[in-house]
Amino acid sequence: MDRNPSPPCSDAEEEEGDAVGNTVYSKHWLFSVLSRLIEVIAPAEPDPAASPEGARTELDEEMENDICKVWDMSMDEDVALFLQEFNAPDIFMGVFAKSKCPRLTEICVGILGNMACFQDICMSISKDENLGQVLLQRLCDSDSPTLLETSRLLLTCLSQPEVANVWVERIRENPSVYDCVCFIMSSSTNVELLVKVGEVVDKLFDLDEELMLNWIKSGTCRSVGPSVDDSPEELPDFKIVPCILEAAKQVRSDNPEGLDVYMHILQLLTTVDEGIQAIVQAPDGGKETWSLLYELVCQELCQPDDPPIIVQEQKTVLASILSVLSAMFASQTEQEYTRMRKSKSCFFLLVRILQYMEGCGKRAVENSKESEQEETGRTDVNEEDFHLKILKDICCELLSNMLQELTKENTLEGLHQGHLNEQTCSCAFQNLLPLYSASVESFLEVLREADQTLADNLEKRFPSLKVHT
């Protein structure tokens, strides 16, 4: 059976005026499906297919086929308004309260998600406190498809400015949401679900710093969370950072967009002191976070055999990762894992990114000249320039911090391995000066002890750096 079969049309024999709005869909048929749905959750007589508790655990094929058609049809605004007029959300509330059938719950949440794409309906759904609470409870469901549809619905509502604050406040007042989200991120292997849950968390943190701070500080007590039966299950003492890392590991290979989402969540954490401390004061001192991000930038992203244009494709995820690394490096330079001897290839990558951006910048200028008469084209180029500038600023900040930590031993090793040479140093200096002149001058003094000739050559190329001794 197809997941969402083709929706039915009104037959020619139907009475005039049976069509839903301007569609060809039948009001009578829709109403009959809603009526049968009510019977499914409140049967007049015991159903032999029901479980011992008296609730159906499986849908019959015809009912599933029809309700999937409604799911598909609900993407049309006229149909969504018809469902709203006939109190479909209230019917779905009954499904959530009484149904033991995961597939039916998934479909009903999915229909609500489609309906919520339309502003007026979204406002109506969002302002219904009972429905709102019941939907949040679905995050504690043990069924992955239901969790996916619930996450989609929440993201849809959070993306509409008129109701976003309603959901933020509701989530802030429901600690169980934190527990359920952490449980999903730390234990699910469903990449599609992890990506959507990550998008919800990213949106929440972006919308409300107070909620983000609450979640950073959460995990100090045992919590009740999802279970496969009616008995509550005691969950571990979740911390937000390890859960984010676990989800990122799951999506890193299969979904680049999902990795981008989780890296941005980490970046948002570093915008507050409490978030940075949550990262670097983990039981392992932040080593797991540093190791994962270090592997990503040094082994997977922007590699030497990649074309320079790859920087444009990876600019957002690179900016997020390097921003977190920079925050960690600045706050925990005493940690062994941030020492330059562990980060020489990271230094080389930063320089490579800067070199690639120079090529991208030249290309952007050429494209701008070619499309000078096209306003849209110029806007796109400006937007690209903006994101690349952010990436460059983050690169320079981290590079500056790393240069200040270099010792003679580190420098000699970098020279021997080819990470430090006149080309890479010149590129670094060109981008760091004059804003980070103190860092560059500090590094030049160390370099003089390791390679006098290279230091002299760099002084000639950058006269303002000549060190007076």
Side-chain angles (χ1 to χ4, degrees):
M1 180 192 307
D2 293 335
R3 181 179 178 83
N4 292 330
S6 299
C9 299
S10 295
D11 294 332
E13 299 176 357
E14 294 285 354
E15 296 181 5
E16 185 178 353
D18 181 60
V20 177
N22 294 319
T23 74
V24 293
Y25 306 138
S26 166
K27 290 181 182 179
H28 177 77
W29 183 88
L30 268 171
F31 186 76
S32 69
V33 174
L34 294 177
S35 299
R36 287 160 54 204
L37 183 58
I38 295 174
E39 293 175 0
V40 168
I41 59 176
E45 298 179 1
D47 191 320
S51 66
E53 291 79 11
R56 295 172 60 96
T57 57
E58 299 292 338
L59 280 175
D60 63 64
E61 184 173 344
E62 181 182 359
M63 185 63 199
E64 180 173 354
N65 189 40
D66 286 346
I67 196 68
C68 278
K69 290 177 182 178
V70 176
W71 189 359
D72 220 26
M73 295 164 65
S74 63
M75 298 176 65
D76 186 287
E77 185 172 8
D78 286 335
V79 174
L81 289 170
F82 178 86
L83 293 172
Q84 176 78 0
E85 180 183 351
F86 280 87
N87 298 319
D90 290 341
I91 297 174
F92 299 153
M93 281 268 286
V95 171
F96 302 148
K98 299 179 181 180
S99 174
K100 296 289 184 179
C101 176
R103 176 63 169 156
L104 180 58
T105 302
E106 172 204 356
I107 295 170
C108 291
V109 177
I111 294 172
L112 278 175
N114 283 350
M115 293 171 65
C117 293
F118 306 105
Q119 184 177 336
D120 289 344
I121 300 177
C122 186
M123 292 181 67
S124 176
I125 292 173
S126 300
K127 291 179 180 179
D128 187 329
E129 186 61 29
N130 291 331
L131 180 58
Q133 295 296 336
V134 169
L135 288 172
L136 290 184
Q137 290 172 13
R138 299 275 62 77
L139 286 173
C140 293
D141 206 296
S142 59
D143 180 60
S144 290
T146 298
L147 290 171
L148 177 59
E149 294 307 319
T150 303
S151 301
R152 282 176 171 158
L153 171 58
L154 290 177
L155 185 61
T156 298
C157 295
L158 289 168
S159 300
Q160 299 210 23
E162 297 80 9
V163 299
N165 289 338
V166 174
W167 286 98
V168 169
E169 183 64 27
R170 187 173 287 148
I171 291 171
R172 191 190 299 138
E173 294 175 353
N174 282 268
S176 64
V177 174
Y178 169 86
D179 296 317
C180 295
V181 166
C182 284
F183 182 79
I184 294 168
M185 291 193 296
S186 63
S187 62
S188 178
T189 57
N190 185 319
V191 172
E192 189 178 7
L193 172 59
L194 288 171
V195 172
K196 195 58 61 178
V197 168
E199 290 175 344
V200 171
V201 174
D202 188 43
K203 191 68 175 178
L204 283 170
F205 286 4
D206 194 39
L207 286 170
D208 193 78
E209 185 176 294
E210 181 184 347
L211 183 143
M212 181 173 71
L213 287 169
N214 290 342
W215 282 24
I216 290 170
K217 297 172 185 176
S218 292
T220 56
C221 60
R222 306 290 288 185
S223 305
V224 174
S227 167
V228 294
D229 52 34
D230 289 334
S231 59
E233 177 183 349
E234 193 174 72
L235 294 179
D237 195 11
F238 286 123
K239 299 289 186 181
I240 190 68
V241 173
C243 295
I244 293 170
L245 294 179
E246 189 59 38
K249 292 174 187 176
Q250 287 290 332
V251 306
R252 63 186 287 188
S253 300
D254 299 326
N255 195 300
E257 292 78 13
L259 179 64
D260 198 343
V261 168
Y262 279 98
M263 293 303 99
H264 190 254
I265 294 173
L266 283 177
Q267 183 182 11
L268 287 173
L269 292 182
T270 64
T271 60
V272 294
D273 291 339
E274 293 86 348
I276 297 175
Q277 295 307 309
I279 293 173
V280 300
Q281 291 184 359
D284 63 354
K287 187 174 182 179
E288 184 181 0
T289 304
W290 180 274
S291 297
L292 174 62
L293 303 188
Y294 183 78
E295 286 179 13
L296 289 171
V297 296
C298 295
Q299 299 175 19
E300 297 184 21
L301 299 172
C302 195
Q303 295 304 292
D305 55 347
D306 288 333
I309 195 66
I310 198 70
V311 170
Q312 286 190 342
E313 297 176 2
Q314 299 177 349
K315 58 184 177 295
T316 56
V317 68
L318 281 170
S320 295
I321 293 173
L322 296 178
S323 180
V324 177
L325 289 176
S326 183
M328 294 181 70
F329 197 93
S331 63
Q332 287 288 96
T333 51
E334 74 277 7
Q335 291 287 349
E336 181 182 358
Y337 63 78
T338 64
R339 291 295 183 186
M340 190 60 192
R341 62 188 178 86
K342 292 281 188 180
S343 309
K344 294 182 299 297
S345 56
C346 189
F347 166 87
F348 192 55
L349 175 99
L350 294 173
V351 173
R352 187 189 315 131
I353 292 173
L354 292 172
Q355 291 173 325
Y356 282 5
M357 279 195 290
E358 289 178 0
C360 290
K362 293 176 182 177
R363 180 170 180 174
V365 170
E366 293 173 358
N367 290 341
S368 180
K369 290 179 179 178
E370 292 175 1
S371 59
E372 191 173 5
Q373 303 301 321
E374 300 177 12
E375 186 66 29
T376 303
R378 289 201 302 273
T379 300
D380 292 342
V381 169
N382 290 336
E383 184 177 351
E384 289 291 335
D385 287 346
F386 174 74
H387 288 295
L388 288 173
K389 183 180 184 305
I390 291 176
L391 178 57
K392 178 181 177 180
D393 291 345
I394 294 170
C395 279
C396 289
E397 181 181 5
L398 179 54
L399 192 58
S400 170
N401 289 333
M402 285 184 167
L403 287 181
Q404 294 185 74
E405 294 301 314
L406 274 172
T407 64
K408 180 180 178 181
E409 178 186 3
N410 303 150
T411 304
L412 286 170
E413 189 175 357
L415 290 167
H416 177 71
Q417 295 182 356
H419 296 301
L420 297 175
N421 54 47
E422 187 167 349
Q423 181 184 15
T424 58
C425 290
S426 294
C427 179
F429 287 11
Q430 182 175 336
N431 285 278
L432 292 175
L433 295 173
L435 184 60
Y436 297 101
S437 57
S439 297
V440 175
E441 290 170 0
S442 172
F443 165 67
L444 195 57
E445 292 181 8
V446 175
L447 181 62
R448 187 180 301 284
E449 299 178 16
D451 190 327
Q452 177 73 47
T453 301
L454 177 55
D456 289 343
N457 290 341
L458 289 170
E459 279 190 356
K460 292 177 182 177
R461 296 189 66 170
F462 302 91
S464 63
L465 292 175
K466 189 170 184 179
V467 179
H468 300 283
T469 57

